[in-house]
Amino acid sequence: MVIMDGKEVSEALKRKITAEVDKMVSAGRRRPKLVAVLVGDDGASQVYVGHKERACGQVGFDSEVVRMPASTTADELNAVIDRLNADDSVDGFIVQLPLPGHLSEEAVIERISPLKDVDGFHPETTGRMISGLDAYLPATPAGILELIKYYNIETAGKHCVVIGRSNIVGRPIANLLSMKGYPGDCTVTLCHSRTADLKEIVRGADIVIAALGKAHFVTADMIKEGAVVIDVGITRIADPSKKSGFRIAGDVDYDNVAPKCSYITPVPGGVGPMTIACLMQNTLKAAERRTKR
Ligand code: NAD
């Protein structure tokens, strides 16, 4: 069994990005710049934005966090998005999700210029991706593909079962792995909360991608011997022994599932760091596009 080390792979990816930034700067171009908009005071969102800011520093990007109160109105948020769309010093920006309940995530995503949509959530970006055109891939699915490539995992003709149909993980990764070429050519089954016989379906999988957000949902009896298991889930579980008061659990019962796998991602340290590195990769791509425009 091989543990897919997202920390190691993401560091390698970030080193490549840093080298590209160094080249840009030596050629007299400015550094790529990523802005994160954070609305409200959700604890997990603050942590994620902090990680993104730190990664920007690591790869040599400029970055900025626009912090807005939970009471921010749609008009106020729209004004910030419009300003960032128009600001030539900003290559890409993200609006950290989830948003407070009174704000429409769909409306916000649609307002972001597809040119700066480094989260890859805009419907135009999704349409390009599904059509196999050049696009910013959403960072978590992109991170999963990078892990598969790094470990040279065979995908052609494999049965891949994705659990979870969100727009940001489940649906795009199911789509990408069904595409022609590597890493792809999988036969994909997309499972969700209304799937009948889910256990049976997962048992037939060569590759399992768990992205449902239910701690330790995937148990050893659901896994075929030798399967590849990629765990996207991040759930906070109360743990008084930790300073923070919680620990992070994945969607996979790692201790019991790992011995049956050929490859498995840990949580934390698997998909999470890859997601951040791939956001950096999209921002670099945005900066390269800008200099070509
Ligand atoms: P979501 O929370 O929007 O949706 C969950 C999906 O799981 C839904 O499509 C639902 O149909 C499905 N689901 C729920 N219960 C189910 C069940 N019992 N059986 C089968 N399917 C079920 O999904 P999301 O935003 O993709 O997040 C999923 C998990 O991944 C969360 O824990 C989230 O924190 C985590 N996540 C991690 C990263 C990362 O970088 N590692 C990135 C994004 C999301």
Side-chain angles (χ1 to χ4, degrees), residues 108-273:
V108 163
I109 289 169
E110 283 208 61
R111 203 167 182 106
I112 295 172
S113 160
L115 289 172
K116 299 192 179 185
D117 176 34
V118 288
D119 253 344
F121 297 163
H122 192 285
E124 185 178 312
T125 314
T126 309
R128 292 186 63 85
M129 178 194 77
I130 287 172
S131 310
L133 298 169
D134 183 43
Y136 299 117
L137 299 186
T140 303
I144 294 171
L145 297 185
E146 290 293 336
L147 278 175
I148 290 174
K149 283 195 279 185
Y150 187 90
Y151 288 95
N152 259 317
I153 292 171
E154 221 185 299
T155 54
K158 300 295 178 192
H159 183 202
C160 173
V161 173
V162 178
I163 315 173
R165 57 178 160 189
S166 75
N167 282 346
I168 64 168
V169 186
R171 241 156 339 145
I173 192 63
N175 198 279
L176 290 163
L177 284 171
S178 72
M179 285 198 181
K180 211 172 166 58
Y182 183 78
D185 287 329
C186 285
T187 304
V188 179
T189 305
L190 179 53
C191 295
H192 47 76
S193 51
R194 306 295 295 272
T195 297
D197 299 327
L198 183 134
K199 277 194 177 213
E200 208 45 57
I201 296 169
V202 178
R203 241 177 246 136
D206 303 304
I207 302 173
V208 178
I209 300 181
L212 69 159
K214 297 234 155 38
H216 300 169
F217 178 91
V218 177
T219 46
D221 59 321
M222 294 163 75
I223 296 297
K224 180 163 83 177
E225 204 65 50
V228 175
V229 174
I230 296 176
D231 188 352
V232 181
I234 301 178
T235 304
R236 287 181 171 196
I237 295 188
D239 184 345
S241 73
K242 301 272 179 198
K243 211 171 114 196
S244 60
F246 65 85
R247 67 190 154 84
I248 299 293
D251 285 346
V252 175
D253 175 15
Y254 183 90
D255 290 345
N256 295 307
V257 166
K260 293 183 84 174
C261 298
S262 54
Y263 294 87
I264 188 166
T265 60
V267 174
V271 175

Side-chain angles (χ1 to χ4, degrees), residues 81-95:
I81 294 172
D82 293 348
R83 172 174 69 74
L84 294 170
N85 279 338
D87 185 343
D88 276 340
S89 73
V90 175
D91 294 299
F93 67 99
I94 62 159
V95 178

Side-chain angles (χ1 to χ4, degrees), residues 57-80:
Q58 261 184 303
V59 297
F61 292 175
D62 289 331
S63 70
E64 186 188 327
V65 180
V66 178
R67 290 189 168 77
M68 304 182 78
S71 58
T72 298
T73 64
D75 285 347
E76 286 165 341
L77 183 54
N78 285 342
V80 169

